[in-house]
């Protein structure tokens, strides 16, 4: 049975277009800003091992499942889940899985745009040579005073949201696709350059063993939950976005191979970012557990001391902004596709309203770094709470439900037909998605319950 549905939002022009767009969505602040600092807060090597295990055993199979569901449904997540549930004679309540994704994407965008604003602000600082000759302590002060200034954060957050929505309203082909082609190779090159700088500090070995010598006694229930959540966040899965992108994917493209390429690119960028940042951390006696400011306090030391540092620093933060941009435009896609399909809104109208909403909510994150930083729930500021609830709860929960739908509810023929894999690859995928991933998520969740208690 081949499926002849078409998406009303258009289609990617080729397999490469999907790969580029999905890589654009996956590679972002999660890899360069978040991964290094959460690794530092969670004890280094053991966290990396756990994160890689989550990527391989849990996130990758679910990535494949999500693309598969999307391409089969050829609809946005909410309508898509409705159609698939009908087709598989399952409960219509599955559409709420789509809804959870719509909401998660919206919530993530609200704070993601704030951090994207940080990257933009640092382009300006890099360009004007503000890092020249500064040491770790001075850069820490620079970051602290930046964070303490809500008006500046608000300005950059607004700009980040504005440029995000400008691309979003242009639509699938013209807007999203054109972006990533040049970005990825450029990002790779700059990261490699920075790793090279790391080697020149003489602390590359220390960084390497910090990242790759696991000491499992450092792991807490919290780290385990964060590693799982990050594997979802960094691949952008569990919220229907990959499903939406999958729905624009041409037939006859191998989903498995395509997914593996995206995962490989994403993981490589994250590891390279770690290998670029940690030598600088150790060479300058900085704290790996510095938190969200880590990349902004460390790499500028390198830029302030290396030849061509102004140029390289500017390029780095510009590329980080671009990487964040190709992710931010994707996050809101499930919500946009939903209102366009369901309410018949134009993309422009949908973009304006949703963008405005996410911008408003983002102001709370802006304030959580200064005026409201004492205001905590479960020991977390508003930004931390939103990040925790979305990455570590909503996305893994969404992923769990996707895995269950794809392998317990959907008939074997349907998924086999849509994936078009060899019998062996299919069996491996099915075992991982049907047993290993759900079990992993449930066990980690149960283990993590201790955090809130
Ligand atoms: N994967 C993106 C990153 O690592 C973040 C993201 C999450 C994008 C969810 C889309 C959806 O930066």
């Amino acid at each position: 049975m081949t499926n002849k549905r078409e998406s009303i939002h258009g289609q990617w022009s080729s397999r490469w277009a999907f790969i580029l767009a999905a890589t654009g969505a996956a590679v972002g602040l999660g890899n360069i800003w978040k991964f290094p600092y959460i690794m530092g807060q969670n004890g280094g090597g053991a966290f990396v091992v756990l994160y890689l295990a989550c990527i391989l055993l849990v996130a990758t199979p679910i990535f494949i499942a999500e693309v598969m569901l999307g391409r089969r449904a050829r609809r946005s997540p909410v309508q898509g889940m409705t159609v698939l549930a009908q087709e598989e004679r399952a409960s219509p309540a599955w559409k709420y899985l789509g809804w959870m994704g719509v909401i998660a994407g919206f919530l993530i965008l609200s704070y993601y745009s704030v951090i994207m604003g940080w990257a933009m602000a640092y382009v300006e600082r890099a360009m004007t040579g503000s890092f020249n000759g500064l040491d770790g302590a001075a850069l820490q002060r620079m970051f602290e005073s930046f964070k303490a200034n809500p008006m500046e954060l608000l300005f950059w957050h607004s700009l980040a949201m504005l440029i995000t929505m400008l691309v979003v309203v242009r639509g699938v082909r013209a807007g999203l696709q054109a972006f990533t082609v040049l970005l990825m190779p450029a990002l790779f090159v700059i990261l490699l350059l920075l790793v090279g700088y790391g080697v020149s500090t003489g602390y590359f070995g220390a960084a390497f063993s910090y990242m790759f010598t696991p000491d499992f006694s450092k792991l807490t229930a919290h780290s385990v939950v964060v590693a799982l959540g990050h594997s979802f966040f960094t691949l952008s899965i569990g919220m229907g976005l990959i499903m939406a992108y999958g729905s624009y994917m041409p037939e006859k493209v191998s989903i498995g191979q395509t997914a593996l390429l995206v995962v490989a690119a994403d993981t490589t960028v994250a590891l390279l970012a770690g290998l670029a940042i940690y030598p600088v951390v150790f060479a300058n006696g900085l704290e790996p557990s510095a938190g969200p400011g880590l990349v902004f306090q460390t790499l500028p030391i390198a830029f302030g001391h290396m030849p061509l540092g102004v140029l390289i620093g500017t390029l780095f933060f510009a590329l980080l902004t671009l990487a964040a941009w190709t992710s931010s435009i994707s996050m809101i896609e499930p919500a946009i596709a939903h209102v366009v399909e369901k309410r018949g809104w134009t993309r422009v109208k949908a973009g304006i309203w949703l963008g405005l909403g996410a911008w408003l909510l983002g102001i709370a994150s802006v304030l959580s770094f200064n005026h409201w930083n004492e205001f905590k729930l479960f020991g977390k500021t508003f930004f931390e709470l939103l990040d925790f609830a979305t990455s570590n709860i909503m996305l893994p929960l969404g992923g769990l439900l996707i895995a269950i739908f794809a392998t317990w509810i959907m008939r074997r023929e349907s998924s086999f037909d849509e994936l078009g894999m060899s019998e062996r690859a299919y069996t491996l995928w099915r075992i991982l998605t049907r047993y290993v991933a759900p079990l992993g998520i449930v066990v980690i969740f149960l283990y993590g319950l201790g955090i809130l208690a």
Side-chain angles (χ1 to χ4, degrees):
M1 179 177 66
T2 11
N3 149 8
K4 289 276 174 292
R5 275 193 286 264
E6 284 206 5
S7 168
I8 61 166
H9 307 279
Q11 231 184 63
W12 306 113
S13 56
S14 70
R15 167 166 186 253
W16 276 103
F18 174 85
I19 293 179
L20 288 171
T23 310
V27 176
L29 295 169
N31 309 62
I32 296 170
W33 159 74
K34 194 173 182 189
F35 174 70
Y37 93 75
I38 57 177
M39 163 172 52
Q41 286 176 329
N42 291 283
F47 180 83
V48 175
V49 170
L50 204 67
Y51 158 75
L52 291 176
C54 289
I55 290 277
L56 270 181
L57 300 176
V58 181
T60 305
I62 293 180
F63 188 107
I64 295 175
E66 202 175 320
V67 181
M68 185 267 289
L69 294 182
R71 190 169 69 177
R72 190 147 192 96
R74 292 251 183 258
R75 301 268 193 304
S76 74
V78 179
Q79 273 74 244
M81 286 314 298
T82 310
V83 171
L84 291 177
Q86 260 167 18
E87 206 167 84
E88 304 292 333
R89 299 200 183 76
S91 156
W94 279 100
K95 73 164 189 253
Y96 293 111
L97 169 56
W99 265 110
M100 189 168 71
V102 167
I103 295 168
F106 178 82
L107 296 178
I108 295 176
L109 177 63
S110 78
Y111 69 82
Y112 201 87
S113 148
V114 175
I115 313 293
M116 176 168 157
W118 294 5
M120 294 163 75
Y122 268 64
V123 174
E124 192 201 354
R125 283 174 171 66
M127 216 153 57
T128 50
S130 321
F131 309 140
N132 282 351
L134 296 189
D135 62 4
L139 281 157
Q140 196 172 346
R141 279 196 302 278
M142 176 189 281
F143 181 73
E144 291 302 328
S145 68
F146 168 62
K147 221 174 57 169
N149 183 349
M151 284 327 270
E152 194 181 357
L153 298 192
L154 181 64
F155 170 77
W156 292 110
H157 162 54
S158 312
L159 201 60
M161 191 63 83
L162 189 74
I163 62 173
T164 298
M165 289 306 152
L166 280 179
V167 178
V168 166
V169 299
R170 293 182 63 206
V172 173
R173 275 188 188 221
L176 309 187
Q177 190 174 299
F179 248 86
T180 319
V181 194
L182 288 174
L183 173 67
M184 282 307 135
L187 198 61
F188 259 82
V189 172
I190 288 277
L191 281 173
L192 283 176
L193 263 175
L194 291 173
V195 173
Y197 176 83
V199 173
S200 80
T201 62
Y203 282 81
F204 184 78
F208 194 86
S209 64
Y210 178 75
M211 282 177 64
F212 297 108
T213 323
D215 171 0
F216 288 100
S217 68
K218 289 204 176 131
L219 281 185
T220 60
H222 188 263
S223 335
V224 176
V225 174
V226 173
L228 177 75
H230 189 64
S231 72
F232 281 80
F233 183 85
T234 191
L235 291 180
S236 312
I237 57 172
M239 52 153 300
L241 155 66
I242 291 299
M243 193 173 161
Y245 274 20
S247 77
Y248 312 142
M249 191 170 179
E251 254 173 76
K252 307 237 182 305
V253 164
S254 153
I255 294 180
Q257 283 171 11
T258 309
L260 288 181
L261 267 172
V262 176
V263 172
D266 186 77
T267 311
T268 312
V269 173
L271 295 176
L272 280 181
L275 288 173
I277 288 174
Y278 276 93
V280 183
V281 170
F282 294 128
N284 293 279
L286 301 170
E287 279 303 320
S289 61
L294 186 71
V295 59
F296 298 95
Q297 296 168 24
T298 51
L299 291 184
I301 305 179
F303 303 138
H305 288 92
M306 71 208 296
L308 294 179
V310 170
L311 178 69
I312 296 175
T314 308
L315 267 175
F316 172 80
F317 284 113
L319 288 170
L320 183 59
T321 302
L322 284 172
W325 199 357
T326 55
S327 300
S328 67
I329 55 179
S330 72
M331 256 162 235
I332 198 78
E333 189 60 24
I336 299 269
H338 176 67
V339 286
V340 169
E341 274 175 23
K342 191 75 184 181
R343 309 218 168 271
W345 288 14
T346 59
R347 276 188 84 91
V348 176
K349 182 171 170 195
I352 292 176
W353 284 108
L354 289 167
L356 209 60
W359 175 79
L360 271 175
L361 187 64
I363 296 178
S365 287
V366 163
L367 292 171
S368 77
F369 289 104
N370 35 69
H371 293 319
W372 294 357
N373 62 1
E374 298 297 325
F375 180 68
K376 290 186 180 172
L377 213 66
F378 299 113
K380 294 184 188 318
T381 63
F382 181 81
F383 157 77
E384 288 164 348
L385 205 63
L386 205 56
D387 176 35
F388 190 86
T390 48
S391 322
N392 302 341
I393 300 176
M394 292 175 88
L395 300 187
L397 195 63
L400 176 65
L401 294 172
I402 287 170
I404 291 176
F405 189 88
T407 53
W408 290 91
I409 307 284
M410 199 171 203
R411 282 162 299 148
R412 195 180 191 283
E413 304 86 77
S414 311
S415 57
F416 187 75
D417 167 58
E418 193 65 45
L419 284 171
M421 292 175 168
S422 70
E423 191 69 50
R424 266 181 50 205
Y426 178 80
T427 308
L428 176 64
W429 168 79
R430 195 168 168 86
I431 293 173
L432 288 174
T433 316
R434 194 172 156 94
Y435 304 103
V436 179
L439 207 68
I441 298 174
V442 169
V443 168
I444 291 178
F445 265 177
L446 290 179
Y447 186 51
L449 277 181
I451 310 173
L452 295 176

